[in-house]
C-alpha cells in the first residue's frame, strides 16, 4: 500500500494478540512445581549461547562515545553560536538586546557601549548554560540571525553556574574563511525565497 | 478665564476659555495624536498631525483655542489621509536602526507609524549625509532626527537657554509632482522638514548652556541622547523607581532608572534619571547627578558601637539639610529625649526668617508656589542667584515671561547673562550688596496699596521722593517755509525755465525745557538704570498676576529680621504672591520640624558635616549613612509639598534609625515616623505608603500632600526699620555655586565634574590683572584660602563667586553669614 491510507489507519487492534500466560499458582505445591520447572528448563544456557554467538560474530553497533559521536540534526538546540557576516567577516550581533529580553530563564546578560565609529558595540556577553533551558527563543527573536543554536551538547560542569562568553561562541575567523560556518536551519531561521516577499521602498532618485 | 463646554467626538467636556483644544482633550483622556507639542510651551506647528475638525473647519488642536459650544471631531477621512501621509513622510529615509537605537521602543515615531497603519511608502527623496555629532553632554544623531523641534521649543520656552535652533539641511528640493499629488498639510510639513535640521545657536562645536539635558528628555526619537547613557542600556531593561530629586529645594519628581551593575555584579545601579517633561523640567544636577549613592558593602558593627557611644557622650548634633523629614524628626526626638543642641546654621537662618515673616504676615508660610509663578505674568526675583540656587524657579521665571507675555525684574548684585538672555522683557538691576532693604522699600513704593500700609512706612517711603526741576531736551517738529528754485517746463512756450516756488517742510528741532519731576531717591540707591521708570511702565501694561521670588541672600543678611518684615508687608499689601527659596534640599522641612540652636557645645556628632564623630552619606565619616537616593522618606519642597522619595539602589549599612533605636527610640523603619510629623507645623498624619507621586493627564500634581498654612500670632506693630547705609567696599566675593552644583553630593557625581576655584566673569578677567588658571589668595576678615581662578561665562560683572560644593575649599569660613563679603584677592 503506497497511499496515505496506511498512515491514517489508527485501528491496529487486529494485529494484536494476547500472550499466553499461565495462571499464577495459588497454593504452595503449585509454587514449588514452578520453581523446579524454571530451574531445570535450561533457559539460562539459551541466554549464554546468544551472547557467545554475537561475540564471535564481531558485528558491534555500540557508538564509542566520547571518541565517536552521532551526527546531530541541523535543528538540534545545543550550545549557542554567534555567527559572522559571510561578506565582511564582521560580527552579526548588533547588541539590540532582544535575546536578553526574551530569555525566559533569564540567563543572558550583555553590556554595550558606543565604539569609535559611533556604532553600538557589544562589550560583554554571557549566557549561563547552567540556567539555560535551550528553548531556542533567543535564536528565534534574533533579527540578524546572529545567535543560533549549535550542535555542541556536552554541558557537564563542576558547578551549576556555567558561563559561556561571546568570544567562545563566535565563529573563528579562519573557520569563516574556510567556509565552515554553518547556518542554523531551525525555528527562526530565514525561510527560502524570503527576499521575494519583501516590499521595496521607492527610491526614485 | 471662565469655564466653557466643548464637544469632542460627541463627548461634552468642561474646559477653560482660551485653553488649547489638545490640552482640553488630554485632560479628559481623549486621544489626539501630536508629536511636536509640549505642554507649558508654545505650539511649534512642526508635525501638523494634531489636525482636527472644529465646527467644520480643519484646525491644529495644539494652537486652536477652545470656544464655548465648539464641536470637534478628532478624525475624519481627510484628516486620516493627512496623518497617514505625514507619518509616511517622517519615515522617508529614517534609518532602520531600531535594533540599536537608544529610544529602544519608547519611540513616538514608531508608535505613530503603527497607529496610522503605515505599511507602505509612497514618497522618496535623495538623502543628505547626516553625521552624528558630539555636543558634549548631549549626543546628536541627525539621521534619526525628525525635526519636531521639541528640543528647540523646550530650550527656549521652558529653560531659557536658547541654545538650540534649526539650521539648513542642504537637501534637494522636493519633486514638484508631490505638490499636486500629496495631501496639503503633509506636503507643507515635509517642505519645512526637508529644509531644516537641529544645530547650535552659538555656531560652535560644543553646547555651551546650563546643561540641563531637557532637550534629550523631550526628544521623541533617539536623535538626542545623553552622552553618558548612549548605547548603555535598553529602556525595557530598566526598572523605574519613582522618587524626588535630592539636590535642591525644588523637589522635582523624577524616576531613577535602575538595572544590575554589570554581568558579574547584580547590585542595582542607576543608569539614568527620567522626568515627566510635560509637567516638570529638571536641571543638570537632577538629571546627571544621580550617582551619589554611598556604596557600603556590610554593616560595620565596630563603627556602629562607637557611634552609639559618641551619641551618649555628645551634647550637640550638627547636620545639614540634605536629610529627609523623618530623619529631622528623629533628630528632634533625640533632642527632646536627651537634650541635645541641634545645630544647622543655614536652616536656622531660614527658620528665623520665617518666624519674623510670620510676625507680620500672620501666616506660618509664604502663600504661593512655583506652579503659580509659572502662571504669573509679572515676576520679581530678589536676593537669589536664581539659576544656581533653584533652577526650577528660574524655569518658572523664564516660562512665565515667554509664555504669558510677561515681564520680570531681576534684582541681584551678580550680573547674570542667562537671565538677561531671556529677552527684553526682563530688566536686571545690579544693586549693591546690602541694599536689599532699599529694593524692598522701592517695591513697596511701586506696588503696595498705600492706603493700607502702616502710615509710618508710607511716610518713610515718601521721604525719598522729592520734586526736582530738570531740563529735558525735547525734539519737536517745526514748520519751515523755504523758497526754492525749480526748473519747470513752461506750458505755453514749451521751454524749460527756472521758477521760484514756496515749499513747506517739517524739520525736527531740539529744544530745552524745564519740567518738574518726581524724583525717587530709592532708584538711585538700588542703582536702577536710567530708563527704569519708563521700562517698568511698559512692562506693567496689561499685567494681571504678580509673583515675587525671594532667596537665600535675605536669610543671612545682617538685617534679615527687617527684610522678613518688609517681605511680609509686600505680600500682605500688594498683589504679589510670594515664594521663598529654601537654601538647601530640605531646609523648609528641617526648619519646621527641628527646634534649632545657635552654637555647638563641647562634643559634637556631625551628620554630613564635620563633628567630633561624623556620620556621613558621602562615605568620608566615622560611620556610613545612606544617601538620599538610598532612602525612603519625605522631602519638603519650595512648593510646601511633602514629597515621597524611594530607595533607588540598595544600602547594606546602618542608618540613623538604627542609632535612634539603640538609644531608646523605637521604630522598625525610618518611614514609620512619616505619620508622626508635627501637625502643629502644618504636616498631616499620612502614612508614607499612602503618599502618591505622580502627575495627572491634565498636569495636576498628585504628589505627597501640601503643608497646611497655619495662622500665627502677629507682633503688635507692623513697624519696620529704616535702611542703613552700610555697604561693602572694594573687591566683593559672593558665595554661590555654578549651575549643576549644589552640595558635596553633586560634587561626587562623575557626570558633573566641575572645576573648583574662584569663578570670575570673562569681562572681569579682561580688565583685571588676573588670568584663568592663576592661583590666588582670597582673604576676608574671617580668614583666607588659596585657590585657582576659573573663567565663568555664566556670570558677568566684577563680583567673583566662591562655591560651596566642595567642603575641602571651606569657602563658608570666609563669610560671616551674609553671602557677600569684601575680600582681597592676591596672586601667589
Amino acid at each position: 500500500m503506497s497511499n496515505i491510507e496506511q498512515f491514517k489507519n489508527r485501528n491496529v487492534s487486529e494485529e494484536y494478540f494476547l500472550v499466553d500466560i499461565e495462571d499464577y499458582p495459588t497454593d504452595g505445591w503449585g509454587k514449588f512445581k514452578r520453581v523446579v520447572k524454571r530451574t531445570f528448563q535450561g533457559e539460562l544456557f539459551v541466554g549464554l549461547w546468544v551472547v557467545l554467538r554475537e561475540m564471535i560474530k564481531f558485528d558491534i553497533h555500540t557508538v564509542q562515545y566520547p571518541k565517536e559521536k552521532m551526527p546531530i540534526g541541523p535543528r538540534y538546540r545545543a550550545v549557542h553560536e554567534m555567527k559572522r557576516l559571510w561578506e565582511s567577516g564582521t560580527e552579526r550581533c548588533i547588541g539590540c538586546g532582544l535575546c536578553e529580553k526574551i530569555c525566559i530563564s533569564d540567563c543572558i546578560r550583555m553590556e554595550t557601549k558606543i565604539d569609535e565609529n559611533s556604532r553600538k558595540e557589544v562589550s560583554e556577553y554571557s549566557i549561563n548554560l547552567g540556567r539555560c533551558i535551550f528553548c531556542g527563543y533567543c535564536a528565534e527573536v534574533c533579527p540578524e540571525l546572529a545567535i543560533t543554536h549549535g550542535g555542541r551538547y556536552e554541558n557537564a560542569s563542576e558547578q551549576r553556574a556555567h558561563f559561556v562568553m561571546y568570544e567562545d561562541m563566535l565563529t573563528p575567523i579562519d573557520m569563516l574563511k574556510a567556509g565552515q560556518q554553518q547556518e542554523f536551519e531551525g525555528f527562526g531561521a530565514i525561510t527560502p525565497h524570503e527576499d521575494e516577499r519583501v516590499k521595496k521602498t521607492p527610491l526614485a532618485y | 478665564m471662565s469655564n466653557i463646554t466643548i464637544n469632542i467626538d460627541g463627548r461634552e467636556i468642561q474646559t477653560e476659555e482660551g485653553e488649547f483644544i489638545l490640552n482640553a482633550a488630554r485632560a479628559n483622556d481623549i486621544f489626539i495624536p501630536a508629536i511636536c507639542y509640549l505642554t507649558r510651551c508654545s505650539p511649534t506647528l512642526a508635525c501638523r498631525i494634531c489636525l482636527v475638525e472644529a465646527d467644520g473647519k480643519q484646525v491644529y488642536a495644539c494652537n486652536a483655542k477652545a470656544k464655548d459650544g465648539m464641536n470637534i471631531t478628532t478624525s475624519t477621512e481627510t484628516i486620516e489621509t493627512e496623518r497617514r501621509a505625514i507619518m509616511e513622510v517622517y519615515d522617508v529615509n529614517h534609518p532602520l536602526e531600531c535594533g540599536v537605537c537608544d529610544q529602544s521602543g519608547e519611540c513616538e515615531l514608531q508608535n505613530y507609524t503603527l497607529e496610522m497603519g503605515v505599511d507602505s511608502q509612497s514618497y522618496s527623496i535623495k538623502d543628505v549625509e547626516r553625521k552624528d555629532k558630539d555636543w558634549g553632554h548631549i549626543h546628536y544623531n541627525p539621521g534619526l532626527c525628525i525635526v519636531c523641534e521639541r528640543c528647540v521649543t523646550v530650550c527656549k520656552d521652558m529653560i531659557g537657554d536658547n541654545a538650540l535652533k534649526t539650521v539648513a539641511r542642504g537637501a534637494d528640493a522636493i519633486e514638484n509632482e508631490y505638490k499636486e499629488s500629496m495631501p496639503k498639510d503633509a506636503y507643507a510639513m515635509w517642505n519645512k522638514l526637508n529644509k531644516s535640521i537641529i544645530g547650535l545657536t552659538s555656531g560652535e562645536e560644543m553646547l555651551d548652556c546650563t546643561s540641563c539635558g531637557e532637550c534629550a528628555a523631550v526628544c521623541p526619537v533617539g536623535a538626542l541622547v545623553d552622552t553618558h547613557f548612549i548605547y548603555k542600556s535598553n529602556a525595557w531593561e530598566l526598572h523605574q523607581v519613582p522618587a524626588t530629586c535630592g539636590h535642591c529645594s525644588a523637589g522635582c519628581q523624577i524616576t531613577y532608572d535602575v538595572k544590575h551593575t554589570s554581568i558579574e555584579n547584580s547590585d542595582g545601579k542607576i543608569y539614568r534619571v527620567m522626568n515627566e517633561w510635560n509637567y516638570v523640567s529638571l536641571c543638570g544636577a537632577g538629571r546627571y547627578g544621580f550617582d551619589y549613592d554611598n556604596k557600603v558593602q556590610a554593616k560595620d558593627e565596630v563603627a556602629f558601637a562607637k557611634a552609639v557611644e559618641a551619641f551618649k557622650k555628645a551634647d550637640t548634633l550638627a547636620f545639614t539639610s540634605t536629610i529627609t523629614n523623618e530623619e529631622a524628626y528623629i533628630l528632634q526626638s533625640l533632642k527632646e529625649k536627651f537634650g541635645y543642641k541641634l545645630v544647622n546654621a543655614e536652616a536656622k537662618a531660614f527658620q528665623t526668617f520665617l518666624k519674623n515673616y510670620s510676625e507680620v504676615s500672620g501666616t506660618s508660610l509664604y502663600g504661593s508656589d512655583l506652579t503659580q509663578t509659572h502662571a504669573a505674568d509679572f515676576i520679581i526675583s530678589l536676593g537669589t542667584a536664581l539659576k544656581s540656587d533653584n533652577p526650577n524657579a528660574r524655569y518658572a521665571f523664564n516660562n512665565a515671561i515667554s509664555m504669558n507675555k510677561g515681564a520680570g525684574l531681576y534684582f541681584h548684585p551678580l550680573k547674570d547673562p542667562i537671565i538677561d538672555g531671556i529677552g527684553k522683557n526682563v530688566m536686571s538691576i545690579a544693586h549693591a550688596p546690602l541694599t536689599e532693604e532699599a529694593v524692598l522699600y522701592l517695591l513697596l513704593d511701586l506696588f503696595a496699596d498705600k492706603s493700607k500700609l502702616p502710615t509710618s512706612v508710607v511716610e518713610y517711603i515718601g521721604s525719598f521722593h522729592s520734586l526736582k526741576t530738570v531740563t529735558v531736551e525735547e525734539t519737536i517738529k517745526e514748520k519751515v517755509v523755504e523758497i526754492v528754485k525749480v526748473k519747470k517746463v513752461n506750458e505755453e512756450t514749451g521751454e524749460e525755465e527756472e521758477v521760484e516756488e514756496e515749499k513747506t517742510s517739517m524739520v525736527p528741532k531740539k529744544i530745552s525745557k524745564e519740567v518738574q519731576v518726581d524724583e525717587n531717591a530709592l532708584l538711585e540707591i538700588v542703582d536702577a538704570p536710567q530708563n527704569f521708570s519708563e521700562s517698568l511702565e511698559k512692562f506693567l501694561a496689561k499685567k494681571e498676576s504678580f509673583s515675587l521670588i525671594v532667596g537665600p541672600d535675605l536669610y543671612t543678611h545682617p538685617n534679615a529680621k527687617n527684610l522678613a518684615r518688609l517681605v511680609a508687608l509686600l505680600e500682605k499689601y500688594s498683589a504679589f504672591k510670594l515664594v521663598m527659596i529654601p537654601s538647601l534640599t530640605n531646609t523648609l522641612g528641617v526648619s519646621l520640624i527641628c527646634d534649632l540652636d545657635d552654637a555647638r557645645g563641647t562634643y559634637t556628632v556631625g551628620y554630613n558635616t564635620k563633628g567630633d564623630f561624623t556620620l556621613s552619606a558621602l562615605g568620608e565619616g566615622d560611620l556610613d549613612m545612606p544617601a538620599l537616593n538610598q532612602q525612603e522618606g519625605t522631602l519638603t519642597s519650595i512648593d510646601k509639598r511633602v514629597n515621597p522619595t524611594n530607595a533607588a539602589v540598595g544600602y547594606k549599612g546602618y542608618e540613623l534609625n538604627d542609632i535612634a533605636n539603640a538609644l531608646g527610640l523605637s521604630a522598625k523603619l525610618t518611614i514609620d515616623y512619616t505619620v508622626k510629623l508635627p501637625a502643629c507645623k502644618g504636616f498631616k498624619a499620612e502614612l508614607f505608603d499612602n503618599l502618591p507621586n505622580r502627575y495627572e493627564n491634565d498636569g495636576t500634581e498628585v504628589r505627597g500632600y501640601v503643608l497646611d498654612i497655619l495662622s500665627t500670632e502677629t507682633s503688635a506693630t507692623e513697624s519696620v526699620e529704616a535702611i542703613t547705609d552700610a555697604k561693602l567696599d572694594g573687591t566683593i566675593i559672593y558665595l554661590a555655586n555654578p549651575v549643576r552644583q549644589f552640595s558635596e553630593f553633586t560634587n561626587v557625581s562623575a557626570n558633573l565634574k566641575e572645576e573648583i576655584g574662584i569663578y570670575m566673569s570673562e569681562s572681569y578677567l579682561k580688565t583685571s590683572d588676573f588670568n584663568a588658571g592663576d592661583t590666588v589668595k582670597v582673604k576676608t576678615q574671617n580668614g583666607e584660602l588659596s585657590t585657582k581662578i576659573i573663567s565663568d561665562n555664566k556670570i558677568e560683572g566684577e563680583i567673583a563667586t566662591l562655591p560651596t560644593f566642595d567642603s575641602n575649599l571651606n569657602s563658608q569660613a570666609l563669610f560671616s553669614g551674609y553671602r557677600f563679603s569684601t575680600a582681597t584677592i592676591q596672586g601667589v
Side-chain angles (χ1 to χ4, degrees):
Chain A
M1 271 209 307
S2 62
N3 62 31
I4 197 127
E5 286 308 312
Q6 59 174 324
F7 299 107
K8 284 190 168 176
N9 182 15
R10 301 254 184 270
N11 185 14
V12 290
S13 62
E14 55 211 57
E15 308 273 328
Y16 278 63
F17 60 92
L18 288 173
V19 180
D20 185 24
I21 297 172
E22 281 176 47
D23 291 337
Y24 287 110
T26 48
D27 54 345
W29 177 240
K31 282 180 184 170
F32 175 73
K33 277 204 294 187
R34 192 177 63 173
V35 170
V36 173
K37 195 176 160 195
R38 283 183 177 177
T39 310
F40 297 103
Q41 216 172 25
E43 279 174 343
L44 177 67
F45 300 100
V46 176
L48 281 173
W49 165 241
V50 170
V51 174
L52 188 71
R53 189 186 64 201
E54 293 303 315
M55 206 175 78
I56 299 163
K57 268 199 201 161
F58 290 99
D59 182 19
I60 300 164
H61 293 281
T62 311
V63 177
Q64 298 293 315
Y65 184 84
K67 280 188 201 156
E68 284 175 17
K69 282 175 195 171
M70 293 277 276
I72 206 116
R75 292 177 165 215
Y76 192 77
R77 300 194 302 259
V79 175
H80 310 73
E81 284 174 357
M82 283 285 177
K83 296 284 156 64
R84 288 181 187 268
L85 289 169
W86 285 107
E87 302 85 352
S88 60
T90 49
E91 296 148 28
R92 285 188 197 174
C93 178
I94 55 169
C96 70
L98 288 178
C99 48
E100 185 184 15
K101 175 68 184 166
I102 205 164
C103 181
I104 49 169
S105 51
D106 201 12
C107 64
I108 301 181
R109 265 191 193 179
M110 60 195 297
E111 281 166 32
T112 51
K113 65 172 202 279
I114 186 167
D115 73 2
E116 60 275 9
N117 301 319
S118 295
R119 293 173 79 94
K120 195 175 190 175
E121 185 194 340
V122 180
S123 48
E124 297 269 356
Y125 190 104
S126 84
I127 301 177
N128 184 350
L129 295 178
R131 289 181 71 153
C132 181
I133 59 163
F134 299 95
C135 63
Y137 281 4
C138 51
E140 185 186 337
V141 80
C142 182
E144 300 290 316
L145 301 176
I147 186 167
T148 66
H149 283 287
R152 224 186 85 214
Y153 44 78
E154 290 115 328
N155 291 323
S157 163
E158 287 161 352
Q159 57 199 23
R160 252 194 102 162
H162 176 50
F163 293 91
V164 60
M165 306 304 286
Y166 190 73
E167 301 73 49
D168 308 330
M169 291 183 278
L170 192 64
T171 314
I173 195 79
D174 50 338
M175 259 184 78
L176 180 93
K177 280 180 182 157
Q180 285 168 346
Q181 177 170 274
Q182 283 219 320
E183 289 297 339
F184 181 62
E185 291 171 29
F187 199 61
I190 210 155
T191 48
H193 314 296
E194 189 75 70
D195 47 350
E196 287 162 23
R197 295 182 6 214
V198 173
K199 211 169 185 180
K200 283 173 189 150
T201 308
L203 294 169
Y205 54 88
Chain B
M1 297 275 174
S2 54
N3 281 333
I4 53 167
T5 310
I6 58 171
N7 188 311
I8 304 181
D9 289 344
R11 251 185 75 188
E12 297 275 315
I13 62 163
Q14 302 285 325
T15 186
E16 275 181 359
E17 176 93 53
E19 179 67 288
F20 294 129
I21 295 171
L22 182 62
N23 283 340
R26 281 182 175 177
N28 289 280
D29 289 339
I30 297 171
F31 174 67
I32 298 175
I35 298 177
C36 68
Y37 181 71
L38 287 168
T39 314
R40 306 188 299 169
C41 293
S42 53
T44 318
L45 285 187
C47 75
R48 295 172 185 244
I49 208 168
C50 66
L51 268 179
V52 291
E53 210 173 84
D55 293 337
K57 226 175 86 192
Q58 273 193 15
V59 293
Y60 304 110
C62 70
N63 85 332
K65 290 180 174 169
K67 292 192 193 91
D68 199 14
M70 210 177 220
N71 248 315
I72 294 149
T73 320
T74 59
S75 166
T76 66
E77 209 174 303
T78 27
I79 289 174
E80 285 302 308
T81 324
E82 285 281 6
R83 285 183 185 158
R84 152 118 197 185
I86 288 169
M87 286 325 295
E88 274 188 40
V89 167
Y90 273 136
D91 290 332
V92 169
N93 291 340
H94 193 91
L96 282 170
E97 295 176 6
C98 303
V100 293
C101 178
D102 268 317
Q103 208 67 9
S104 52
E106 293 183 335
C107 173
E108 287 177 42
L109 180 68
Q110 239 177 41
N111 291 351
Y112 283 121
T113 300
L114 295 173
E115 176 76 29
M116 305 308 158
V118 177
D119 55 1
S120 64
Q121 176 63 274
S122 333
Y123 315 113
S124 67
I125 193 164
K126 188 178 161 195
D127 204 355
V128 286
E129 195 183 13
R130 291 178 280 170
K131 273 205 172 140
D132 58 344
K133 292 177 183 126
D134 181 12
W135 284 343
H137 68 288
I138 297 287
H139 192 96
Y140 178 53
N141 187 343
L144 300 174
C145 181
I146 59 170
V147 203
C148 65
E149 297 179 40
R150 279 212 308 227
C151 47
V152 179
T153 309
V154 80
C155 195
K156 181 168 140 281
D157 290 343
M158 181 54 62
I159 309 302
D161 273 355
N162 288 318
L164 298 172
K165 63 170 184 182
T166 51
V167 295
R169 179 190 289 242
D172 294 353
I174 303 167
E175 275 177 45
N176 268 335
E177 56 165 303
Y178 287 130
K179 194 168 184 179
E180 262 70 75
S181 63
M182 274 179 83
K184 203 170 87 322
D185 276 292
Y187 177 77
M189 166 256 157
W190 192 10
N191 213 1
K192 194 176 166 202
L193 167 79
N194 191 47
K195 283 176 185 150
S196 47
I197 205 83
I198 306 300
L200 302 181
T201 315
S202 61
E204 310 259 326
E205 295 283 298
M206 284 286 166
L207 261 176
D208 184 19
C209 57
T210 50
S211 310
C212 64
E214 200 63 18
C215 48
V218 300
C219 186
V221 291
L224 286 167
V225 180
D226 295 328
T227 305
H228 77 86
F229 182 70
I230 191 158
Y231 293 154
K232 276 282 156 61
S233 176
N234 282 315
W236 61 67
E237 293 292 333
L238 299 166
H239 167 63
Q240 301 205 306
V241 181
T244 299
C245 178
H247 286 312
C248 85
S249 53
C252 299
Q253 191 223 29
I254 55 172
T255 58
Y256 291 111
D257 283 17
V258 182
K259 191 177 93 164
H260 52 79
T261 309
S262 65
I263 289 180
E264 300 87 29
N265 187 353
S266 289
D267 289 345
K269 180 187 151 189
I270 303 169
Y271 277 76
R272 64 171 171 181
V273 164
M274 299 283 273
N275 60 324
E276 288 263 21
W277 35 259
N278 268 319
Y279 314 119
V280 59
S281 302
L282 302 186
C283 70
R287 188 172 302 285
Y288 301 120
F290 49 76
D291 50 342
Y292 60 95
D293 48 309
N294 192 9
K295 291 170 186 69
V296 174
Q297 289 314 318
K299 289 191 187 245
D300 184 348
E301 283 173 31
V302 181
F304 181 70
K306 278 186 191 158
V308 176
E309 274 311 303
F311 267 82
K312 284 183 180 155
K313 209 160 91 184
D315 60 353
T316 307
L317 305 180
F319 62 103
T320 65
S321 298
T322 42
I323 60 170
T324 61
N325 290 324
E326 288 72 16
E327 287 180 298
Y329 183 82
I330 292 176
L331 293 175
Q332 175 64 16
S333 305
L334 289 174
K335 172 177 179 151
E336 279 159 22
K337 200 167 162 136
F338 300 106
Y340 292 123
K341 288 179 178 177
L342 293 184
V343 177
N344 179 344
E346 149 273 321
K348 174 77 180 170
F350 187 63
Q351 190 176 51
T352 317
F353 192 84
L354 267 181
K355 193 174 138 274
N356 290 326
Y357 158 85
S358 302
E359 280 181 2
V360 173
S361 72
T363 53
S364 62
L365 285 166
Y366 46 92
S368 184
D369 55 35
L370 288 185
T371 318
Q372 289 187 34
T373 309
H374 270 284
D377 53 19
F378 188 80
I379 306 177
I380 292 178
S381 157
L382 167 67
T384 169
L386 204 56
K387 73 171 188 298
S388 52
D389 284 350
N390 190 317
N392 241 281
R394 169 199 156 200
Y395 299 161
F397 187 84
N398 170 66
N399 186 231
I401 288 166
S402 39
M403 292 304 296
N404 309 339
K405 293 189 186 120
L409 301 180
Y410 181 73
F411 289 95
H412 202 263
L414 186 69
K415 286 183 195 142
D416 192 332
I418 303 285
I419 299 288
D420 290 337
I422 290 174
K424 52 183 190 298
N425 283 337
V426 177
M427 185 163 34
S428 294
I429 298 105
H431 62 88
L434 288 175
T435 55
E436 285 86 352
E437 283 163 298
V439 174
L440 281 168
Y441 272 116
L442 175 68
L443 296 180
L444 279 173
D445 184 14
L446 294 169
F447 301 105
D449 184 351
K450 298 231 175 61
S451 59
K452 288 181 186 156
L453 266 184
T455 38
S456 60
V457 180
V458 179
E459 277 167 23
Y460 181 64
I461 292 171
S463 72
F464 290 101
H465 284 270
S466 60
L467 278 180
K468 192 176 152 194
T469 315
V470 286
T471 323
V472 275
E473 281 209 333
E474 208 174 295
T475 315
I476 56 160
K477 282 198 173 160
E478 212 175 33
K479 196 173 173 183
V480 182
V481 183
E482 281 176 301
I483 295 173
V484 284
K485 285 182 178 171
V486 211
K487 278 188 179 171
K488 242 185 176 178
V489 180
N490 193 321
E491 280 174 18
E492 287 166 25
T493 57
E495 277 172 35
E496 205 174 81
E497 55 187 41
E498 276 193 357
V499 192
E500 282 190 353
E501 253 184 28
E502 258 189 22
K503 200 177 173 189
T504 25
S505 60
M506 302 296 275
V507 177
K509 190 185 168 191
K510 278 189 179 169
I511 56 158
S512 296
K513 209 162 104 183
E514 290 204 333
V515 279
Q516 292 246 313
V517 289
D518 173 55
E519 198 191 41
N520 193 345
L522 284 167
L523 286 176
E524 199 181 315
I525 298 173
V526 303
D527 293 331
Q530 282 298 315
N531 59 350
F532 181 84
S533 304
E534 295 92 76
S535 301
L536 187 65
E537 202 177 314
K538 259 184 248 161
F539 281 7
L540 285 171
K542 291 190 206 154
K543 297 297 186 288
E544 284 164 352
S545 135
F546 298 81
S547 181
L548 173 69
I549 304 171
V550 299
D553 293 7
L554 307 189
Y555 316 149
T556 51
H557 192 282
N559 302 332
K561 183 175 180 183
N562 200 32
L563 285 165
R565 294 172 75 90
L566 283 166
V567 167
L569 280 181
L570 189 59
E571 190 194 24
K572 205 168 175 182
Y573 297 120
S574 76
F576 277 95
K577 291 175 184 155
L578 174 69
V579 187
M580 292 181 192
I581 298 177
S583 23
L584 276 175
T585 312
N586 201 16
T587 304
L588 179 57
V590 168
S591 65
L592 292 174
I593 296 163
C594 296
D595 189 5
L596 297 165
D597 298 279
D598 286 314
R600 294 186 181 195
T602 49
Y603 190 90
T604 306
V605 173
Y607 185 9
N608 287 334
T609 183
K610 275 214 175 69
D612 297 308
F613 188 91
T614 307
L615 312 172
S616 170
L618 291 155
E620 301 167 334
D622 302 307
L623 180 69
D624 283 310
M625 287 282 122
L628 277 180
N629 58 5
Q630 294 169 296
Q631 290 193 62
E632 286 182 317
T634 57
L635 296 167
T636 315
S637 76
I638 182 172
D639 290 343
K640 299 166 291 180
R641 214 174 251 283
V642 180
N643 295 318
T645 188
N646 287 304
V649 285
Y651 174 74
K652 293 171 187 162
Y654 287 103
E655 51 187 30
L656 189 65
N657 189 39
D658 297 324
I659 300 176
N661 285 344
L663 291 169
L665 298 185
S666 168
K668 192 164 170 249
L669 299 166
T670 311
I671 51 164
D672 292 348
Y673 290 112
T674 312
V675 75
K676 295 182 185 164
L677 294 173
C680 60
K681 296 294 168 87
F683 288 92
K684 290 177 184 162
E686 288 272 1
L687 284 170
F688 177 80
D689 290 335
N690 295 343
L691 296 178
N693 194 5
R694 64 170 198 279
Y695 284 88
E696 297 287 6
N697 268 354
D698 60 354
T700 318
E701 194 174 2
V702 191
R703 299 179 60 207
Y705 58 83
V706 179
L707 289 173
D708 289 328
I709 298 184
L710 310 168
S711 51
T712 57
E713 272 186 39
T714 51
S715 60
T717 64
E718 293 183 337
S719 65
V720 277
E721 281 163 34
I723 58 175
T724 57
D725 47 6
K727 60 178 174 187
L728 301 177
D729 296 315
T731 314
I732 295 167
I733 53 170
Y734 179 56
L735 199 61
N737 289 313
V739 271
R740 309 213 293 173
Q741 290 291 349
F742 292 101
S743 62
E744 292 272 301
F745 294 103
T746 48
N747 191 29
V748 294
S749 169
N751 292 322
L752 299 178
K753 278 289 161 247
E754 193 75 50
E755 266 191 299
I756 188 95
I758 183 163
Y759 299 90
M760 291 184 181
S761 70
E762 286 172 348
S763 56
Y764 184 44
L765 281 174
K766 242 177 230 166
T767 51
S768 67
D769 301 334
F770 300 122
N771 292 309
D774 289 356
T775 305
V776 287
K777 203 175 257 180
V778 186
K779 197 174 165 186
T780 70
Q781 56 176 4
N782 296 316
E784 63 171 56
L785 56 83
S786 64
T787 186
K788 208 165 65 172
I789 293 179
I790 293 159
S791 167
D792 187 353
N793 63 0
K794 302 283 185 297
I795 55 171
E796 259 168 33
E798 300 196 341
I799 296 176
T801 64
L802 271 177
T804 61
F805 66 85
D806 189 347
S807 62
N808 292 332
L809 190 67
N810 202 14
S811 52
Q812 263 145 321
L814 262 59
F815 296 80
S816 35
Y818 189 45
R819 285 173 81 183
F820 292 94
S821 173
T822 41
T824 49
I825 305 175
Q826 279 174 335
V828 182

